[in-house]
Every structure is written in structure tokens, then in C-alpha cells.
Amino acid sequence: MSVALITGASQGIGACIARRLAKDGFDVAINHYPSEGDKEKAEAVAEECRALGVKAEIFAADVSKMEDCEAMVKAVKETMGSIEALVNNAGITKDKLLARMAEEDYDAVIAVNQKSIFNMLKQTCPVMMKQKYGRIVNVSSVAGLYGNPGQINYSASKAAIIGMTKTIAKEYGKKNIVCNAVAPGLIRTPMTDVLSDEVKAKMLEAVAMKRYGEPEEIASVVSFLVSEDCSYVTGQVIEISGGLSM
Ligand code: NAP
């Protein structure tokens, strides 16, 4: 059975990806931030995955910390046997216009959204190389493609992910490891629930389909990108935004 490791999978898009990959037949390793609340939510996601007939285990790790990622990847290998697919999904926002943004908020978002990708790739690529097989998906954002007022930290981290994705595609292509990114638009999750109605309405004006995306609509694209069928697509960024940028 193939194993998929999904970061930040206790809620939102990550939880939805875990459920979808379990439905696709993957055993799933569900990463959650090391807190009691996240552990409880991750365990509920794992239970839903097990009900689909696959193995599902939860792994606590703050993905912004290299030592946590190292311990987690080791534990996943020991418990689940291999890692065929990695979905780097964990992310945070700390939005403010440049004039008001504190340096700590810039650094925190870069650490969780960007450095975590380096940490997870550093630990997981050697495993995939030994297997001579790997599928990696990094969750970027339309903010990384086009920028967004109030998100200089978030946009920087999500743009960096695109460069990292293309670099890994080039470094590991000959090892039969493909690496792609998805760039979601406005998706209905706890991350966007906190936006004001006014901000949401303004954002929707630019969306051709005039509606939010659902986490399932991200998961279905990821489902292809981690499948065996995704054998000659690498270094690509798939925008999933209901037509934001045409
Ligand atoms: P979400 O509901 O807030 O989920 C993000 C998950 O990541 C949470 O479970 C969170 O745990 C976890 N996480 C945060 N920091 C972590 C850390 N250091 N280590 C491990 N886990 C950590 O957000 P979402 O909307 O599902 O977002 C998922 C991904 O999609 C993110 O990368 C986000 O940037 C991206 N994205 C979302 C949208 C959107 O419209 N929703 C659009 C474009 C891109 P806590 O709850 O404890 O923080």
C-alpha cells in the first residue's frame, strides 16, 4: 500500500486531502501541530480515514522546526513503512499592511509556510530517492502568483514555494520523483472564515465563477498529482481559483 504524508492535516484543506487520499487507497500519515486541540481534531480525521479501509496514523510536529520534521519522517517510515507521497500543506497567515506589519509576523509566516517546505523536503527526498519513486505537492496560493495587499509575508512565502517546487523538480526528475504546486484561490476553510464579509465580497468580484472554492476541489487536483498517473508532469503550478487570473 502506498503511503501519503500530509502536513497541517487536522482541519481545512489538509484534512480534506487526507480523506480524499484515503479514499484513493493511500495509507495516510496525518501531521498536526503539537497541541491538544490539534491532536484531537487529527485523531478524528484519522478515524474517518480508517473507516475507508486504510491505515491512518497521526504525527505531531511543528513543521517550522527541522528537528520535529526529522523525528516525524523517521516515525512515519517506522510505523507506515514508506512515503510515496508528500503534501506540504501546513500554513498560517498574519495579515497586515506593510506599514503596520511587525518583523515577528513576517518571520513567523516565512518559518511556517516556507522554511517548513525546506525541512520536509530535506527529510523526505532521501526516502523517496531510495524508493526511486516520489510524488510531492506543495500548497502555494494565488497570493504567491499575483501578490495581495496586507500579505507581504504570506505572498513572499507562497512565491518562494513556486521556486522551490521547480528546483526540486529539476534536482530529482531523474530519480523518478515529481514535484508540483497547487495555488488555491479563495477556499472555504477556517483560514478564510475570519475574513470580513466586505473583504470576501471584494475578492469574489475578481473570480470568474463568482463563488468560493471548496476544500474538496483542491483535494481532487492533489489526488491526481500524487497518483501514479502523474508520471510526466513536474515543476508545474496548478491554479485552482475558479478563474481569478484570465
Ligand atoms: P487552516 O484551516 O488554517 O489549516 C492549516 C493547518 O496547518 C492547521 O491545521 C494548522 O494548525 C496547521 N499548521 C499551522 N502551523 C503549523 C505548524 N507549524 N506545524 C504543523 N501544522 C501547522 O488553513 P487552510 O485554509 O486549510 O490552508 C491550508 C493550506 O492552503 C495553507 O498552506 C494555506 O496557506 C493554503 N491556502 C489556503 C487558501 C484558502 O483560501 N483557504 C488559499 C490559498 C492557499 P493550527 O490550526 O493549530 O494553526
Side-chain angles (χ1 to χ4, degrees):
M1 188 82 89
S2 293
V3 175
L5 167 57
I6 305 113
T7 69
S10 58
Q11 66 175 34
I13 292 170
C16 195
I17 291 171
R19 287 190 290 265
R20 171 62 195 251
L21 299 192
K23 201 171 150 209
D24 291 348
F26 278 91
D27 285 339
V28 285
I30 296 165
N31 159 250
H32 66 87
Y33 185 79
S35 78
E36 271 315 304
D38 286 87
K39 184 179 176 190
E40 220 171 275
K41 286 191 275 179
E43 190 46 47
V45 177
E47 223 16 84
E48 289 179 83
C49 294
R50 288 180 202 122
L52 295 164
V54 300
K55 195 169 169 181
E57 301 295 339
I58 66 169
F59 298 88
D62 175 347
V63 289
S64 68
K65 296 187 178 145
M66 182 66 92
E67 63 271 25
D68 278 27
C69 294
E70 186 180 4
M72 173 167 67
V73 169
K74 193 162 172 269
V76 172
K77 264 220 77 188
E78 280 168 11
T79 320
M80 322 274 293
S82 59
I83 305 174
E84 279 72 25
L86 168 67
V87 183
N88 284 315
N89 165 80
I92 57 169
T93 51
K94 286 187 185 290
D95 297 352
K96 280 211 172 70
L97 294 172
L98 174 66
R100 292 204 193 130
M101 186 174 290
E103 189 180 356
E104 305 85 88
D105 288 347
Y106 186 85
D107 291 344
V109 169
I110 296 295
V112 175
N113 295 8
Q114 177 187 335
K115 171 72 184 340
S116 68
I117 309 275
F118 173 75
N119 296 344
M120 288 304 296
L121 292 170
K122 187 92 179 142
Q123 298 303 328
T124 311
C125 285
V127 176
M128 292 181 168
M129 230 168 77
K130 273 197 203 131
Q131 296 167 174
K132 297 189 174 61
Y133 182 91
R135 299 280 183 266
I136 301 167
V137 179
N138 296 322
V139 180
S140 177
S141 165
V142 291
L145 290 170
Y146 311 119
N148 202 23
Q151 292 197 314
I152 191 167
N153 48 2
Y154 187 78
S155 303
S157 69
K158 294 299 185 179
I161 288 175
I162 294 170
M164 295 165 98
T165 299
K166 290 176 190 285
T167 299
I168 294 302
K170 288 183 178 178
E171 286 189 14
Y172 287 89
K174 58 184 174 298
K175 302 289 182 191
N176 196 27
I177 297 170
V178 305
C179 181
N180 292 288
V182 291
L186 192 57
I187 310 301
R188 198 189 307 274
T189 71
M191 185 180 270
T192 50
D193 286 348
V194 296
L195 298 173
S196 71
D197 288 343
E198 194 190 339
V199 169
K200 286 185 210 167
K202 192 136 197 281
M203 289 170 96
L204 280 181
E205 270 173 29
V207 175
M209 296 184 77
K210 300 292 171 217
R211 66 167 178 85
Y212 272 84
E214 299 298 334
E216 288 76 11
E217 293 173 309
I218 308 302
S220 59
V221 177
V222 172
S223 164
F224 166 70
L225 293 174
V226 299
S227 71
E228 285 184 20
D229 283 346
C230 184
S231 52
Y232 205 53
V233 178
T234 194
Q236 302 306 303
V237 185
I238 317 277
E239 183 175 328
I240 313 167
S241 66
L244 181 69
S245 63
M246 297 174 299

